[in-house]
Amino acid sequence: LVLAGKVAGDVDELMTMAQVAAWRSGLAQYRQSALKLCSRLTADQLRLVLDLPEGADSHSREDLLAGLAHPWRIPGEQGSRNLRLMARVGGFRGFGGPFLRPPKVRRLGQDILVEDGFERRMLFADRFGAVLVRHSRMTDPLVAPPDSGPPGAYGLGRNGSVNLGQETVRMPELANASSFASTTHTLAVALPVSHHLHIVARCTEGSL
């Protein structure tokens, strides 16, 4: 906040930077609102609050905003982009996690719905974090039917082979999945004996 205060023009700009920083710190559920707030910031403010790599220094404000549109890219980030296991999220409720049973996943438009037989949660995941947010009880009706809209971009074989377009990578830890669902950019995989979800995306090396 001290550094942010040096580049913020007033208290409103400082508060805007703080809200964007919350997304950068792992609160992926705030991605869409943070992107709108980013449009209010200068290039220097964006680089600071998002802690962008040195390669982003030469980018204009417009370039930085365009680069943030993809959930698994960071402006200025170097390295090859491949299919990778990016994160695990969830856990057994008895150990502090959200699920009483191993969950299953379904696509809901361009979102991923997670169910354990008791509650539904929405998965939010990007380069900065992965979060499960409570959606509803299993007894509550859904506004839109699951698996609605265009199909997700990813495929998953029984042996753990993940494919996206022409790229295929085998991930043995994802073999014999109980369910999987994907959006354009993100694949979520549930296993029959795990209370965690595995998140796969096409990204530079590194994990959340």
Side-chain angles (χ1 to χ4, degrees), residues 106-144:
R106 295 191 286 174
R107 183 172 47 83
L108 189 64
Q110 275 299 301
D111 295 313
I112 294 176
L113 186 69
V114 188
E115 303 171 332
D116 69 348
F118 297 93
E119 291 184 345
R120 300 186 183 102
R121 295 175 183 270
M122 300 300 295
L123 172 68
F124 297 89
D126 64 13
R127 191 66 177 84
F128 298 136
V131 180
L132 291 161
V133 176
R134 189 179 185 277
H135 180 276
S136 62
R137 298 172 299 177
M138 290 294 294
T139 54
D140 295 335
L142 290 170
V143 175

Side-chain angles (χ1 to χ4, degrees), residues 9 19 35 47 49 85 102 118 126 129 133 166 182:
Q19 293 177 69
L35 288 176
R47 281 189 283 268
V49 75
L85 184 61
F118 297 93
D126 64 13
V133 176
Q166 300 301 311
S182 85

Side-chain angles (χ1 to χ4, degrees), residues 7-28:
V7 298
D10 52 34
V11 173
D12 286 341
E13 285 189 358
L14 181 61
M15 293 303 296
T16 297
M17 293 177 70
Q19 293 177 69
V20 175
W23 165 49
R24 172 63 179 83
S25 298
L27 299 180

